Amino acid sequence: MTTKTDGLPAATISRPEAGVSKDSLTITDNRTGKTYQVPIQDGTIKAMDLRQIKVAADDFGMMTYDPGFMNTASCKSRITFIDGDKGILNYRGYPIEELAEHSTYLETAYLLLNGELPTKTQYEAWVDKVTTHTFVHENVKDLMAGFRYDAHPMGMLASTVAALSTFYPDSKKVRDATERSRHVYRLIAKIPTLAAFAYRHSMGLPYIYPDNELSYPGNFVQMMFKTSELKYKVSPVLEKALDVLFILHADHEQNCSTSGMRGIGSSEADPYVAAAGAIGALYGPLHGGANEAVLRMLQEIGSKDKVPAFVKDVKESGGDVRLMGFGHRVYKNYDPRAKIIKKMADQVFEVTGRNSLLDIALELERIALSDEYFVKRKLYPNVDFYSGLIYQAMKFPTEMFCVLFAIPRMSGWLSQWQEMIEDKDQKIARPRQIYLGSGRRDYVPLHRRG
Ligand code: ACO
């Protein structure tokens, strides 16, 4: 039988011959007429098994070509499960909806890192550890002072997280589990402090030290916004909303920044420089920078009546103009995180007042979800579509949106990094290429070139 899947060449399907394992793939190389049996495990074949497929003894062997890792598993993981077609996201088996309703960010971080929800004693010890490591070395302030007044906070965050590597040289001992765990809680504890310092620097405001009596999100908010009051009071609704946003952003399996963290970490670089690299990956507008881009897009559209014209532009641009906050490599359904955020927006707006851009966002979603262009391509709102509106209502400046993503994602990056270090299958990340450049050439001195 011959089948054809959209965009793919025809494949021949027949029953396996007697004696051939059902859990294998039979490949016939039509260049040589040779047939190979390749074992299938967990629905995958090992790319290295293809190397035996050669046209001659000195041939390098068959590789796969997969830019953007569209169909390549780079690791086996037990951390996060996503079913993009059904819109399911689970951390260590727990649905994101249940964690958002019942857990706290720090408990979720513990779950991601350790695989199990903590007991009460474990939880209290973990919260205490993170809370008492929120302070950064005073030299970090001097480092911050070197940035220009208009430096983007993501650039400052990446740089200062990398700089922590120089304060903790023992972090190089990545094979030592006790050492590793110290840097895990340090990074989770200190990233809100560095993030808030970056903001205060850009505002020309004095840095506010951590208040260890407050919750993780509460302390971050006070470091951002405290002025002359003796004790900053955080609205419980906003504190809870920020905690839920942190839970929703904590991990998302092998996305661009996590792959960055694993890739850099695979050379056994310390977790501070690896996390700084992951922050760089997150900063891009196609990844964590999208929530900032959504806000700018909504501001540019300006009013609800201009939405149809904008959607027309997107469709006619041939992919150049994108509806930011829409589409996802994995979700081909409504992003479950976007659903939770959309619901939560109402509670936040009750405290902060309604964000005027919400009407434009709702209209965009309404039109896009019924428009053939978006329906055909399975483009649905992703986590970034509504989060920016909430951040803006909470008075976070647009430049801080991606930072608000990086803070909780630190626990996901570190969980994935730990798993990678402990995984015996892992090696230094080093993809192959198909070389299409020139063959060998002789060097021509400058004075003889035309
Ligand atoms: N607006 C309009 N068209 C889009 C969009 C969009 N947001 N996203 C994808 N498309 C179109 C593409 O033009 C392409 O059309 P074509 O088949 O006619 O060429 C098709 O849908 C498939 O798009 P790809 O770029 O191949 O999809 P991919 O999986 O590589 O990209 C991505 C996913 C990068 C998220 C993309 O959807 C995008 O750019 N979205 C906007 C940015 C965004 O919101 N990013 C945040 C993602 S969530 C996160 O990282 C936390």
Side-chain angles (χ1 to χ4, degrees):
M1 185 171 79
T2 301
T3 57
K4 191 156 172 53
T5 318
D6 270 356
L8 298 174
T12 304
I13 301 176
S14 57
R15 293 196 177 284
E17 283 172 28
V20 173
S21 162
K22 269 193 172 175
D23 294 320
S24 70
L25 188 71
T26 302
I27 302 172
T28 302
D29 185 347
N30 294 318
R31 299 170 302 174
T32 58
K34 281 192 191 157
T35 294
Y36 303 82
Q37 305 298 333
V38 179
I40 299 175
Q41 207 187 11
D42 301 318
T44 57
I45 58 162
K46 283 193 182 148
M48 277 305 285
D49 284 345
L50 300 179
R51 195 66 82 68
Q52 58 181 313
I53 304 176
K54 298 178 177 201
V55 283
D58 62 350
D59 179 8
F60 182 77
M62 182 74 78
M63 294 191 297
T64 55
Y65 175 56
D66 190 10
F69 301 103
M70 296 286 287
N71 195 38
T72 297
S74 61
C75 63
K76 293 175 182 167
S77 181
R78 294 175 191 279
I79 301 173
T80 291
F81 171 78
I82 302 175
D83 183 327
D85 291 327
K86 296 196 184 122
I88 293 174
L89 169 61
N90 299 340
Y91 295 159
R92 301 283 190 182
Y94 294 97
I96 194 68
E97 294 79 4
E98 286 190 22
L99 292 169
E101 196 175 336
H102 304 295
S103 186
T104 62
Y105 167 68
L106 282 187
E107 184 184 60
T108 299
Y110 182 99
L111 170 71
L112 286 169
L113 287 158
N114 299 287
E116 297 297 333
L117 286 167
T119 61
K120 191 167 178 291
T121 317
Q122 286 168 332
Y123 179 67
E124 283 166 2
W126 166 243
V127 172
D128 184 65
K129 207 148 233 179
V130 172
T131 310
T132 52
H133 284 84
T134 45
F135 280 72
V136 291
H137 195 288
E138 282 290 288
N139 284 3
V140 171
K141 292 198 314 197
D142 299 335
L143 212 110
M144 287 260 173
F147 289 108
R148 281 177 60 106
Y149 70 94
D150 58 353
H152 195 285
M154 277 300 273
M156 289 194 260
L157 188 68
S159 311
T160 46
V161 167
L164 290 186
S165 154
T166 65
F167 292 90
Y168 304 112
D170 281 347
S171 62
K172 286 181 181 57
K173 298 176 192 161
V174 297
R175 297 261 155 228
D176 177 337
T178 315
E179 197 58 56
R180 265 200 321 265
S181 84
R182 279 157 39 124
H183 304 291
V184 164
Y185 61 70
R186 270 190 185 134
L187 268 162
I188 293 174
K190 292 182 200 309
I191 190 170
T193 313
L194 297 176
F197 279 17
Y199 166 71
R200 305 287 294 200
H201 173 82
S202 61
M203 299 298 288
L205 289 167
Y207 303 127
I208 300 294
Y209 287 118
D211 180 342
N212 291 350
E213 284 177 10
L214 297 177
S215 70
Y216 190 83
N219 171 48
F220 173 60
V221 172
Q222 76 90 25
M223 287 191 289
M224 286 281 300
F225 300 123
K226 186 172 187 280
T227 49
S228 59
E229 57 278 63
L230 278 181
K231 189 92 184 164
Y232 186 86
K233 278 211 175 67
V234 189
S235 148
V237 176
L238 302 190
E239 187 178 5
K240 171 73 187 156
L242 198 55
D243 204 44
V244 171
L245 283 160
F246 283 178
I247 292 172
L248 301 183
H249 285 88
D251 194 50
H252 212 234
E253 52 119 309
Q254 309 312 313
N255 52 80
C256 178
S257 55
T258 302
S259 304
M261 179 87 191
R262 279 181 176 258
I264 299 169
S266 74
S267 75
E268 301 198 355
D270 72 63
Y272 297 98
V273 288
I279 291 170
L282 188 72
Y283 189 12
L286 298 189
H287 190 11
N291 50 18
E292 186 173 337
V294 170
L295 243 280
R296 295 196 198 289
M297 174 188 75
L298 295 176
Q299 277 158 348
E300 269 168 38
I301 295 172
S303 60
K304 202 172 144 182
D305 57 307
K306 302 220 175 80
V307 169
F310 178 75
V311 171
K312 191 165 171 271
D313 279 355
V314 170
K315 287 172 13 184
E316 288 174 0
S317 74
D320 289 344
V321 182
R322 293 207 162 194
L323 177 44
M324 299 311 283
F326 257 67
H328 199 278
R329 171 63 57 78
V330 179
Y331 293 118
K332 301 301 167 196
N333 198 326
Y334 215 104
D335 182 335
R337 302 166 299 174
K339 262 190 207 158
I340 299 170
I341 295 177
K342 194 177 170 189
K343 260 199 228 152
M344 207 173 61
D346 293 330
Q347 295 161 21
V348 170
F349 295 157
E350 254 175 48
V351 177
T352 60
R354 200 165 190 274
N355 189 325
S356 58
L357 297 174
L358 179 66
D359 290 332
I360 304 175
L362 289 170
E363 182 67 356
L364 263 178
E365 181 184 328
R366 190 188 66 76
I367 294 184
L369 291 185
S370 56
D371 188 296
E372 207 216 323
Y373 176 96
F374 297 92
V375 173
K376 201 174 117 199
R377 291 170 177 78
K378 299 187 178 170
L379 300 170
Y380 291 86
N382 60 46
V383 66
D384 291 317
F385 194 65
Y386 287 105
S387 59
L389 292 174
I390 298 188
Y391 294 146
Q392 193 185 49
M394 287 177 170
K395 305 269 180 296
F396 287 107
T398 319
E399 294 72 31
M400 283 298 284
F401 290 2
C402 192
V403 173
L404 283 153
F405 192 154
I407 293 172
R409 183 53 61 87
M410 184 58 81
S411 59
W413 289 330
L414 291 166
S415 309
Q416 302 271 352
W417 169 74
Q418 278 196 158
E419 189 180 63
M420 185 266 308
I421 297 277
E422 286 167 3
D423 181 351
K424 299 266 180 289
D425 279 357
Q426 288 296 325
K427 291 187 173 300
I428 184 166
R430 206 315 187 171
R432 293 276 174 182
Q433 64 166 11
I434 303 169
Y435 177 69
L436 296 178
S438 164
R440 189 205 178 280
R441 296 194 272 181
D442 286 330
Y443 179 80
V444 180
L446 186 59
H447 67 274
R448 278 211 236 123
R449 284 176 235 155

